[in-house]
Amino acid sequence: MNKDNRTRVVNSRTGEVRYVEGGQSNGPKRDLPTEGPSSAMPAAGLPKEVKASVVDATATASPESGDRSLATEPAAAEIDSSPSKKSVEIQNFEQFIVHAYGKKGRKISLPGKAEKAVAENSQLSEDAASRLVQLAQTDKLFAVPRQLMLVCREVQGYPTLRAALREFVGDVMLRHPIFKQQKLQAVIRNLPDAPSCAEALALVYAGDAMLPQDASGALKSSDQETQRLNAANCLLVWLSDAKQLAATELIESLNTALWIPSARALLDDGARLRALTEIEDVQGVGLVCELYRQQAREKTNLAEQASRDAARLKDRVAALEEELGEALSELQATKSALESLRRERDLEVMTLKTDAQTEAAHLRDDIEQIRSRLLRRLVTDVEQLELGLTALRSPEPRFHVMQDRAERVVDALRTELNKLREE
């Protein structure tokens, strides 16, 4: 026991140290009376571990709200979660939300019986909704909405409960200052022009968080970092549920928006080694590494298959190039032969043209000679016949003159016919 009769209380999540008046109680443990999830529970006279839970839960309440029951509801959930105490049976949606905020970001579950009861009593009155809004404001690190969304994804067969959880978490996100940007509002509302998952996570993680303040002032820079990380993770679960995104797309979005920018701050090997040895969530790291290893194996297999295909194609290309070379050689030989034939043809055509022209000239000459000869022949024969006719027309016709002329004309024409036949 401390000399000043105070109990030292360490917050297991934030590491914050507080001192509570009064020493440790060594008396027997007693069951605490409860009047429901919103009943105020005094911390005096309780064991030290229970006192710490009550102090932590009370410290998270908003002093401006004026509703002391909201400050003690998480404390009630914290006290009831002790193994030595009976848990308060959750009967409606408000009690479940109070129970979730009492967990302060730790894993929550909704057993089958409680799930059915909450699903049947998922409607909130205006007063209950107002109380839950004020309760959500006490979650400065924004650690609870992600746990609620994880429970929402596990709910099966109760669409009204899923809708109530989504509506509550969506309202909490829309009210929180870290989601004040219009682009993030569009993402949460699932509007057509909303940014992609990676862009939205980058906006949340890189943005300046406008944190609520209490009597102790604004959160420390480390808590601001935690708040941005919790908000980004909550948005990731929200988008995963809203758009049914695959694990590969979720991990790639986280890598692009959160992990790579954070890793760039590790400038030396010492910082990298410190970061590696301070990893606590080994399951998540193992999941990501195994996914990337699987993708690497798939890409390696694809690369090997592509390499084999490339080798086959290379051999095929070489064979085709050889065939192409042979075809080009044959084509060149064919072109040479065709050119030779073309030259021979042109020469032969030219010779034929010359011969034809010569022959035509000879024929024209022969025709001209025959024409001249026939013309002379006809002129001579006409003169002979005219002389014979003149002898017949005289007063004393001389028939023998006509007969002689006619015989000469016949002989001359017969001779000309023979010449024409011989030619």
Side-chain angles (χ1 to χ4, degrees):
M1 182 180 299
N2 296 328
K3 295 181 178 180
D4 57 356
N5 200 26
R6 291 188 301 171
T7 301
R8 182 174 181 268
V9 179
V10 180
N11 191 318
S12 60
R13 179 173 181 83
T14 64
E16 182 180 1
V17 179
R18 299 187 183 92
Y19 290 91
V20 181
E21 295 293 337
Q24 182 177 359
S25 174
N26 296 322
K29 296 182 179 179
R30 297 179 294 108
D31 293 338
L32 300 177
T34 58
E35 298 178 359
S38 60
S39 299
M41 296 186 179
L46 299 180
K48 181 172 64 174
E49 293 82 359
V50 178
K51 288 182 180 180
S53 300
V54 172
V55 171
D56 279 346
T58 306
T60 58
S62 174
E64 292 83 0
S65 63
D67 191 349
R68 303 304 301 172
S69 64
L70 293 179
T72 58
E73 283 171 349
E78 189 71 25
I79 295 172
D80 293 336
S81 64
S82 173
S84 62
K85 304 299 178 182
K86 294 182 180 179
S87 299
V88 175
E89 187 176 357
I90 298 175
Q91 297 291 338
N92 55 47
F93 187 76
E94 181 183 6
Q95 292 178 357
F96 174 66
I97 297 299
V98 171
H99 168 71
Y101 276 90
K103 289 287 187 176
K104 298 182 180 180
R106 295 191 298 273
K107 181 180 179 180
I108 56 177
S109 61
L110 195 58
K113 183 178 179 181
E115 182 180 27
K116 180 179 179 181
V118 174
E120 293 175 352
N121 299 276
S122 59
Q123 298 296 326
L124 291 174
S125 64
E126 293 184 1
D127 293 339
S130 177
R131 289 194 296 270
L132 292 182
V133 168
Q134 295 180 13
L135 177 62
Q137 294 175 356
T138 65
D139 181 20
K140 294 183 179 181
L141 297 181
F142 205 80
V144 179
R146 179 178 69 91
Q147 297 294 342
L148 291 174
M149 281 304 304
L150 292 174
V151 172
C152 176
R153 289 178 57 86
E154 295 174 357
V155 172
Q156 300 293 333
Y158 298 101
T160 55
L161 178 56
R162 283 180 55 88
L165 286 171
R166 282 188 54 83
E167 182 180 359
F168 176 78
V169 175
D171 183 66
V172 171
M173 294 170 67
L174 292 173
R175 289 175 181 270
H176 201 277
I178 202 169
F179 296 100
K180 64 181 180 179
Q181 297 186 45
Q182 292 183 356
K183 291 183 178 180
L184 294 177
Q185 297 271 321
V187 171
I188 298 172
R189 300 179 190 276
N190 198 20
L191 299 180
D193 56 346
S196 64
C197 181
E199 294 174 352
L201 294 179
L203 288 175
V204 173
Y205 190 66
D208 294 330
M210 297 179 62
L211 303 176
Q213 297 185 4
D214 56 11
S216 61
L219 293 182
K220 297 179 294 184
S221 59
S222 59
D223 292 336
Q224 294 178 5
E225 176 76 11
T226 302
Q227 189 212 42
R228 288 196 294 267
L229 183 60
N230 289 338
N233 289 331
C234 178
L235 182 60
L236 183 73
V237 181
W238 175 273
L239 292 176
S240 173
D241 183 70
K243 298 185 177 182
Q244 300 298 315
L245 301 178
T248 54
E249 187 173 354
L250 296 176
I251 291 176
E252 188 61 30
S253 298
L254 284 171
N255 188 39
T256 302
L258 276 65
W259 300 336
I260 291 178
S262 298
R264 288 172 181 166
L266 304 176
L267 302 179
D268 52 43
D269 293 340
R272 298 186 185 98
L273 182 59
R274 179 181 295 276
L276 289 174
T277 55
E278 291 179 353
I279 293 176
E280 297 180 358
D281 190 2
V282 294
Q283 290 183 340
V285 175
L287 172 63
V288 173
C289 292
E290 181 60 26
L291 179 61
Y292 277 122
R293 286 183 62 185
Q294 180 180 356
Q295 291 181 351
R297 286 194 296 267
E298 293 175 355
K299 291 182 179 180
T300 300
N301 294 334
L302 291 175
E304 291 176 354
Q305 182 64 33
S307 179
R308 291 192 294 269
D309 293 341
R312 286 196 297 269
L313 290 175
K314 186 177 180 180
D315 295 338
R316 181 58 179 165
V317 167
L320 290 175
E321 287 180 349
E322 184 178 356
E323 294 178 2
L324 179 61
E326 295 176 357
L328 290 175
S329 300
E330 294 178 0
L331 178 61
Q332 187 62 33
T334 302
K335 285 184 177 180
S336 301
L338 180 60
E339 187 65 25
S340 178
L341 290 175
R342 186 178 290 112
R343 288 194 298 269
E344 293 178 0
R345 184 205 61 185
D346 293 341
L347 182 59
E348 186 175 354
V349 168
M350 186 177 298
T351 302
L352 290 175
K353 285 183 178 180
T354 303
D355 293 343
Q357 291 174 358
T358 303
E359 184 67 21
H362 288 299
L363 289 176
R364 286 194 297 270
D365 184 63
D366 292 343
I367 292 171
E368 187 63 29
Q369 290 179 5
I370 293 172
R371 179 176 176 278
S372 299
R373 189 177 69 236
L374 289 177
L375 183 58
R376 289 194 303 270
R377 181 76 271 159
L378 292 176
V379 171
T380 301
D381 290 344
V382 168
E383 289 178 353
Q384 293 291 335
L385 292 176
E386 286 179 351
L387 288 177
L389 290 174
T390 300
L392 289 176
R393 291 190 189 102
S394 64
E396 293 181 0
R398 292 177 290 181
F399 293 100
H400 63 280
V401 175
M402 183 59 193
Q403 183 178 0
D404 182 59
R405 299 295 179 184
E407 290 176 354
R408 290 182 181 181
V409 171
V410 171
D411 292 339
L413 291 174
R414 186 177 289 109
T415 301
E416 194 64 38
L417 287 173
N418 291 334
K419 288 181 178 180
L420 291 173
R421 289 191 182 98
E422 293 176 356
E423 294 176 356

